[in-house]
């Protein structure tokens, strides 16, 4: 509503004057004074075409990679004669000796005796070796038995992978049965961070997207990860889904159970 002369509207308010030098340009153009531009912090940039993206935020926890976990279990009954790795938290290398066990199982003892007794019969030797492998007897023990350099009642347990000992139920002198866990070991050079993502944001999250992580335990630092898997189920109470991030951990600073904030860079549909 415009007027050529100053007047009041139906509510008694004065019309706002507009001067000729403030009007110009194509229809629909809005002009703002330099003072207002500066006060509003307006910035101008050259127009360019680029992909749009949005940040998806979530919180989660550091966990061990399930594919990098191993349990050392007994396949025969016996006694722990001597521990070589004595405490949880120790770092071990693949093939490192963990403990020496005194064999109680009669079937295993028979195979050990057969391997030593039939040293001149290649067929029997190979059969005895295969039977010992079924009990997870290490190759170095098998070779020592075949050469008559080992006891017929002691077997060693070796680390199946390089990593950190998480649990160690085994103690010196302990009796164990077949199936008992003696050690649990995890390779923590790469870990998972399981992040809770709001339901409305799950649609834009894809495997392979990058994520930035900050942890209260590492203030001022940021690490990166990659979306590795999107779990198929939704938490009905929180209406959120779980997203698994794979995060390198070469220095071991990411400890299991640490809390983490994640920002996933997700592309938007469209371009600017």
């Amino acid at each position: 509503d415009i007027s050529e002369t100053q007047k009041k509207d139906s509510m008694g308010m004065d019309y706002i004057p507009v001067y000729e030098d403030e009007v110009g340009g194509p229809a629909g153009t809005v002009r703002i004074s330099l003072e207002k531009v500066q006060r509003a912090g307006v910035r101008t940039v050259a127009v360019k075409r680029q992909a749009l993206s949005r940040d998806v935020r979530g919180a989660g926890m550091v966990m061990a990679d399930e594919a990098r976990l191993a349990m050392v279990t007994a396949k025969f009954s016996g006694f722990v004669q001597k521990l070589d790795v004595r405490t949880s938290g120790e770092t071990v290398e693949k093939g490192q000796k963990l403990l020496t066990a005194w064999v109680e199982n009669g079937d295993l003892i028979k195979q050990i005796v057969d391997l030593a007794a039939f040293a001149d019969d290649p067929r029997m030797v190979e059969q005895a070796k295969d039977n010992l492998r079924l009990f997870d007897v290490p190759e170095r023990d098998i070779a020592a038995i075949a050469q008559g350099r080992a006891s017929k009642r002691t077997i060693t347990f070796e680390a199946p992978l390089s990593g950190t000992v998480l649990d160690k139920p085994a103690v010196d002198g302990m009796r164990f049965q077949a199936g008992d866990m003696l050690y649990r070991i995890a390779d923590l050079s790469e870990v998972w961070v399981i992040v809770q993502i709001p339901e409305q944001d799950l649609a834009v999250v894809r495997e392979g997207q990058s994520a930035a992580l900050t942890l209260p335990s590492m203030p001022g630092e940021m690490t990166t990860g990659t979306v590795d898997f999107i779990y198929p189920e939704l938490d009905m109470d929180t209406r959120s889904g779980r997203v698994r991030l794979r995060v390198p951990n070469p220095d071991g600073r990411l400890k299991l159970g640490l809390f983490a904030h994640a920002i996933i860079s997700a592309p938007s549909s469209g371009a600017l």
Side-chain angles (χ1 to χ4, degrees), residues 215-255:
L215 293 88
S217 63
M218 299 164 55
E221 298 184 39
M222 181 177 291
T223 187
T224 59
T226 305
V227 176
D228 181 57
F229 184 72
I230 303 167
Y231 289 87
E233 75 278 0
L234 202 68
D235 187 312
M236 303 303 292
D237 295 327
T238 63
R239 306 305 301 176
S240 63
R242 294 186 302 155
V243 173
R244 187 173 76 207
L245 307 179
R246 187 177 296 277
V247 184
N249 186 34
D251 55 5
R253 296 185 65 195
L254 298 178
K255 310 299 183 184

Side-chain angles (χ1 to χ4, degrees), residues 26-126:
T29 300
V30 177
R31 301 185 64 184
I32 304 175
S33 69
L34 179 61
E35 178 185 356
K36 291 182 178 179
V37 169
Q38 292 175 338
R39 190 162 56 242
V42 175
R43 296 181 300 164
T44 60
V45 295
V47 175
K48 63 180 179 180
R49 190 173 186 84
Q50 66 182 39
L52 296 174
S53 63
R54 56 178 291 192
D55 289 339
V56 175
R57 299 175 182 271
M61 188 173 294
V62 178
M63 300 178 63
D65 183 340
E66 292 175 3
R68 296 169 181 261
L69 280 171
M71 286 198 303
V72 179
T73 56
K75 291 189 175 180
F76 57 88
S77 58
F79 293 87
V80 176
Q81 188 177 62
K82 177 189 175 185
L83 291 177
D84 290 276
V85 176
R86 308 191 64 83
T87 60
S88 299
E90 286 193 47
T91 300
V92 296
E93 298 294 329
K94 182 178 180 178
Q96 180 178 335
K97 187 164 70 170
L98 300 174
L99 65 82
T100 302
W102 179 261
V103 178
E104 191 180 51
N105 182 282
D107 290 336
L108 178 54
I109 294 173
K110 181 180 182 303
Q111 300 304 324
I112 295 173
V113 171
D114 286 349
L115 179 56
F118 297 102
D120 296 331
D121 187 336
R123 185 181 64 83
M124 292 296 293
V125 166
E126 287 306 315

Side-chain angles (χ1 to χ4, degrees), residues 5 21 56 59 124 131 154 231 266 272:
T5 60
D21 61 353
V56 175
M124 292 296 293
N131 290 334
T154 58
Y231 289 87
L272 177 63

